[in-house]
Amino acid sequence: MKKLLGLVLFSCLITSSVALSQSSLVIVFPPPNYQTSTEKIFFIGTAPPDGQVIINGKPINRSKAGHFSPSFPLQLGENRFTVRHQNQEVQLQVTRLNTQPELPQGLGFAKDSLTPSADIARLPGELICFSAIAPPKASVSVKLANQIIALAPQPPQAQLPNNLAALTGRNQPTAQSIPGKYEGCTTLQKPDPDSFSLINGNNIISGAFAADTSKEVDLGQPQFQLTLNGKTITQAGSGKVKILSPAELTVTEVTSDSGVARTGPSTDHSRLTPLPKGTRVTVTGKEGEWLRLDYGAWINNKETRILPGAVPTRTVIRSVGSRQLPGITEILFPLQVPVPVRVQQGDRSFTLTLYNTTAQTDTIRLDDNPLISRLDWQQVAPGQVEYTLNLKNSQQWGYKLRYDGTTLVLALRHPPAMGHKRRQPLAGIKILLDPGHGGKEPGASGPTGYLEKDVNLTISKLLRDELVKQGATVVMTREDDKELSLVERQAIISQEQPAIALSIHHNSLPDDGDAENTKGFGSFWYNPQAHNLAIFLHNYVVKDLGKPSYGVFWNNLALTRPTAAPSVLLELGFMSNPDEFEQVMNPQEQQKMAKTLAEGITEWFRSVR
């Protein structure tokens, strides 16, 4: 699973697209002069099975075919490795980078340690926090708008590993502390034309403040001051601080087809329900290029446009309607202005939350429907209305949200009509197969240099043929070695609207993974409508082929996020495991995998009729 930047979260092993010769010692990973921040690293390679492969004087384990993937610890800085097989030798250098901030020598702040590091804007009364890394026993403070905020040394705090750690079972916090970290917070409590109050810890500091209450207040760049051994330096922060005026908040409109809403101001933060194009929402905070929206989410300003003079968005909702179209039911929510939304799928429910909305709903028309047994609503909080569709079946088949003018349209897909012929049980079913990677994106590499993109395509074609035998109509995102972006793959799913979408991949590990001992079949899902499919196929393949189970994961991946159909990403095995790789590249095993997957898909459709 080597896909970076959202394709999937593991490390990509970059190699030539041509399988390397097995007549000599080959190191596929790490490449020469490799850099990493991990405490250990694995080697992937192969050599003729006769004789030993020795790395830094230590014989290593190999598969019957001669493949290997042992792990070795890394010291900070340069690590040199000598790999030998008989009369062949390969030398590699791996540099372990120090991820801890480097404390300055003498009087000064650590490089890039002053926060906020970007321009920020907050509402009156909100916490504004500052931090810096400086030598121990220093006196550190921040001057902001003629006020002084003391920054105190911080005690050790648990450090969380990144999200990749959940995939290797090593996601527990550690008691590491960042040395020399100083932090302090303040609030602008009551801005007025003549004065304001700052709360710093338990101390309230007051001072003059020349500002108009109806305008935002620009406090400028914070000035960080450090005193040590009687010497003092001052350094300006990178970002400016502004206090917004609640009476003049900006309204922005989503311009992308599906605005990415997040829990915080960076792509590191989790995704929320995407915002349909045209959504209008009030901005209550800023951080760099990120906007905080009035219902709590953040969005990048590149996906929006400012609406000059617009007032904060508010709407009432009255009657709700529905209509049946071929294969879908649409629920219509007429609004005065497009507002933010949230979706929650349950086993037999679909809940839609409208923000900045007040219900005046007295009439809902919903005739007998193949999907919905009842539609309920409640005003769960001021400006927050919840509509719950009680469903007749537990399996959901996909949905789309859009604004048609100011009317929110929720389109729910009906179950596909499945054939009843014994020899073609999937007649009438459209299935989308996405062979992962392709073109310049090779994916992972096995010990011989055999590339993931190639085996993904091979098995996808074999699976397509097996599904066609069952009567299915199969759509492939690619049928040759071409490059497709994640957005293009998602667009194909949305356009084709298959009954299900499967993205076919093979796995690898982060640099510090145990490649020698990690193998198995894994399934990944994101939207609840795909959970049952992911579990079913995982269990079916593991049982039928006797494969190890890598696990079933909820994972925020580009090819599990589509809502138009239940979408699952399958990792069929590990390219990085020497023994499993031999199965991955075996044509007979590839055929068996394709046949088993086709049988599992057929049985799943039977189970959810």
Side-chain angles (χ1 to χ4, degrees), residues 84-95:
R84 291 191 177 93
H85 176 259
Q86 296 181 348
N87 62 345
Q88 292 182 291
E89 179 178 294
V90 175
Q91 292 190 352
L92 292 170
Q93 178 177 299
V94 178
T95 301

Side-chain angles (χ1 to χ4, degrees), residues 273 275-276 279-280 294-295 313-320 331-344 350-361 377-388 401-403 406-410:
T273 299
L275 298 178
T279 299
R280 295 185 181 185
D294 59 11
Y295 75 108
T313 55
R314 295 290 184 270
T315 184
V316 298
I317 182 167
R318 293 176 180 163
S319 62
V320 175
I331 310 296
L332 310 177
F333 301 88
L335 305 170
Q336 296 167 302
V337 62
V339 296
V341 297
R342 181 184 66 186
V343 166
Q344 290 177 290
F350 186 103
T351 300
L352 181 68
T353 301
L354 307 181
Y355 293 94
N356 301 327
T357 301
T358 300
Q360 293 181 357
T361 303
W377 72 267
Q378 57 179 329
Q379 186 90 40
V380 294
Q384 189 172 328
V385 184
E386 217 172 64
Y387 288 88
T388 299
L401 274 173
R402 73 178 192 276
Y403 272 108
T406 62
T407 295
L408 180 65
V409 181
L410 168 63

Side-chain angles (χ1 to χ4, degrees), residues 181-418:
K181 185 170 185 179
Y182 295 77
E183 191 168 16
C185 298
T186 189
T187 64
L188 180 63
Q189 193 66 2
K190 292 182 179 179
D192 60 53
D194 301 314
S195 66
F196 67 86
S197 297
L198 289 171
I199 298 180
N200 177 27
N202 295 321
N203 301 315
I204 299 179
I205 311 167
S206 298
F209 191 87
D212 184 342
T213 53
S214 64
K215 303 293 183 182
E216 71 176 26
V217 179
D218 187 347
L219 302 181
Q221 290 176 292
Q223 301 295 312
F224 289 79
Q225 189 174 87
L226 186 156
T227 301
L228 182 66
N229 298 328
K231 296 181 179 180
T232 299
I233 64 163
T234 300
Q235 182 174 329
S238 302
K240 294 182 179 180
V241 178
K242 291 184 178 181
I243 303 300
L244 300 175
S245 166
E248 289 193 351
L249 295 178
T250 299
V251 175
T252 194
E253 180 179 83
V254 175
T255 55
S256 60
D257 288 337
S258 185
V260 180
R262 295 185 179 274
T263 58
S266 76
T267 56
D268 290 337
H269 287 83
S270 299
R271 289 175 178 250
L272 300 170
T273 299
L275 298 178
K277 185 176 183 178
T279 299
R280 295 185 181 185
V281 61
T282 305
V283 176
T284 62
K286 301 177 184 179
E287 189 155 333
E289 61 184 10
W290 292 85
L291 307 177
R292 186 181 62 190
L293 309 180
D294 59 11
Y295 75 108
W298 292 76
I299 192 170
N300 193 290
N301 62 19
K302 294 176 182 177
E303 296 193 73
T304 70
R305 69 182 183 98
I306 299 300
L307 300 178
V311 298
T313 55
R314 295 290 184 270
T315 184
V316 298
I317 182 167
R318 293 176 180 163
S319 62
V320 175
S322 66
R323 62 191 176 204
Q324 283 194 47
L325 302 173
I328 63 171
T329 291
E330 289 188 342
I331 310 296
L332 310 177
F333 301 88
L335 305 170
Q336 296 167 302
V337 62
V339 296
V341 297
R342 181 184 66 186
V343 166
Q344 290 177 290
Q345 287 180 303
D347 285 343
R348 288 180 177 268
S349 66
F350 186 103
T351 300
L352 181 68
T353 301
L354 307 181
Y355 293 94
N356 301 327
T357 301
T358 300
Q360 293 181 357
T361 303
D362 290 328
T363 304
I364 298 175
R365 177 172 180 174
L366 182 65
D367 299 335
D368 188 27
N369 186 276
L371 293 180
I372 307 165
S373 61
R374 193 177 69 251
L375 173 57
D376 300 327
W377 72 267
Q378 57 179 329
Q379 186 90 40
V380 294
Q384 189 172 328
V385 184
E386 217 172 64
Y387 288 88
T388 299
L389 284 72
N390 300 280
L391 305 177
K392 293 181 177 179
N393 298 298
S394 59
Q395 179 59 47
Q396 299 181 41
W397 294 95
Y399 70 91
K400 290 184 178 181
L401 274 173
R402 73 178 192 276
Y403 272 108
D404 185 358
T406 62
T407 295
L408 180 65
V409 181
L410 168 63
L412 296 176
R413 295 183 61 196
H414 295 176
M418 187 172 176

Side-chain angles (χ1 to χ4, degrees), residues 30 45 129 134 168 175 205 216 249 315 319 351 361 364 398 425 439 463 474 477 479-480 504 520 546 558 563 604:
C129 292
T168 57
I205 311 167
E216 71 176 26
L249 295 178
T315 184
S319 62
T351 300
T361 303
I364 298 175
L463 176 54
V474 179
T477 57
E479 297 195 51
D480 52 23
I504 305 299
T563 63
W604 180 78

Side-chain angles (χ1 to χ4, degrees), residues 550-566:
Y550 180 58
V552 179
F553 297 84
W554 178 90
N555 209 337
N556 175 14
L557 308 174
L559 272 304
T560 59
R561 285 198 297 268
T563 63

Side-chain angles (χ1 to χ4, degrees), residues 13-19 28 439 441-446 448-457 481 506 575 581 584:
L13 307 178
I14 303 174
T15 69
S16 166
S17 61
V18 180
V28 172
E441 172 52 62
S445 173
T448 66
Y450 186 35
L451 296 176
E452 183 200 352
K453 67 173 183 175
D454 297 325
V455 68
N456 290 346
L457 183 58
D481 185 23
H506 287 77
M575 303 288 285
F581 174 71
V584 167

